[in-house]
């Protein structure tokens, strides 16, 4: 039985885009930098890497959909941070964003990697944006490279 798996190998013609929220900038900017560094370190030419900023996590799916419809990108890396507050708004935004990003990927066939942190408090986000738990921006960027490579094999 044939087995297919993506590798951290970049097609020189592949374009990547990071779409990121401006909300919680300290966290999201660290995620962006982690993703950018990982992509470049693994062979993505900086000239084939774009950054699109949107107001908040709620706007990420619609931006990702527009980018996917354009057909320009091999993968979309979505980054943001939603921190629990005193209302249900946190769940609505975090869940809606995740479901929206998945819908974009399924509807358009473009890999959309979800690097949107949904955390209880800012300290949790800091731990995942270059702190004790690594950088989730870097992790989803590496997953983007791997899935794009996999699609060339299947």
């Amino acid at each position: 039985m044939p087995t297919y798996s993506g590798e951290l190998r970049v097609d020189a013609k592949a374009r990547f885009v990071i779409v990121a929220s401006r909300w919680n900038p300290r966290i999201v900017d660290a995620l962006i930098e982690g993703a950018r560094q990982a992509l470049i370190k693994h062979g993505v030419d900086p000239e084939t890497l774009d950054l699109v900023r949107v107001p908040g996590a709620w706007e990420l799916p619609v931006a990702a959909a527009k980018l996917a419809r354009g057909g320009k990108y091999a993968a979309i890396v979505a980054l943001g941070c939603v921190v629990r507050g005193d209302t249900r708004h946190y769940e609505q935004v975090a869940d809606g964003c995740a479901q929206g990003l998945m819908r974009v990927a399924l509807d358009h066939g473009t890999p959309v990697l979800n690097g949107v942190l949904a955390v209880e408090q800012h300290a949790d986000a800091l731990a995942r944006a270059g702190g004790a738990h690594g950088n989730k921006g870097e992790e989803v960027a590496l997953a983007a490279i791997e899935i794009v490579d996999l699609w060339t094999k299947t």
Side-chain angles (χ1 to χ4, degrees), residues 9-82:
R9 179 179 22 222
V10 175
D11 179 341
K13 297 173 282 188
R15 291 192 70 85
F16 291 81
V17 62
I18 298 169
V19 58
S21 165
R22 289 193 313 265
W23 199 260
N24 291 311
R26 180 176 174 204
I27 305 300
V28 178
D29 290 350
L31 296 172
I32 292 168
E33 188 56 22
R36 189 188 72 74
Q37 286 181 13
L39 290 165
I40 292 169
K41 177 182 176 184
H42 287 87
V44 173
D45 182 340
E47 296 298 317
T48 64
L49 177 59
D50 295 326
L51 173 63
V52 174
R53 296 302 294 256
V54 297
W58 190 254
E59 292 78 26
L60 289 169
V62 71
K66 181 170 178 55
L67 295 166
R69 272 194 305 276
K72 182 177 176 180
Y73 298 104
I76 299 167
V77 174
L79 302 174
C81 179
V82 183

Side-chain angles (χ1 to χ4, degrees), residues 12-152:
K13 297 173 282 188
R15 291 192 70 85
F16 291 81
V17 62
I18 298 169
V19 58
S21 165
R22 289 193 313 265
W23 199 260
N24 291 311
R26 180 176 174 204
I27 305 300
V28 178
D29 290 350
L31 296 172
I32 292 168
E33 188 56 22
R36 189 188 72 74
Q37 286 181 13
L39 290 165
I40 292 169
K41 177 182 176 184
H42 287 87
V44 173
D45 182 340
E47 296 298 317
T48 64
L49 177 59
D50 295 326
L51 173 63
V52 174
R53 296 302 294 256
V54 297
W58 190 254
E59 292 78 26
L60 289 169
V62 71
K66 181 170 178 55
L67 295 166
R69 272 194 305 276
K72 182 177 176 180
Y73 298 104
I76 299 167
V77 174
L79 302 174
C81 179
V82 183
V83 181
R84 182 178 297 280
D86 295 329
T87 67
R88 261 185 32 124
H89 185 68
Y90 161 87
E91 283 107 9
Q92 293 168 331
V93 172
D95 293 348
C97 178
Q99 291 166 0
L101 293 172
M102 179 57 74
R103 181 174 158 201
V104 172
L106 294 173
D107 289 353
H108 297 283
T110 300
V112 178
L113 292 296
N114 183 351
V116 179
L117 302 178
V119 297
E120 296 295 319
Q121 47 193 311
H122 282 281
D124 298 330
L126 289 170
R128 289 163 178 75
H133 295 289
N135 188 306
K136 298 307 175 188
E138 176 184 359
E139 291 177 18
V140 295
L142 295 176
I145 293 171
E146 187 176 329
I147 196 76
V148 169
D149 181 63
L150 176 61
W151 279 187
T152 67

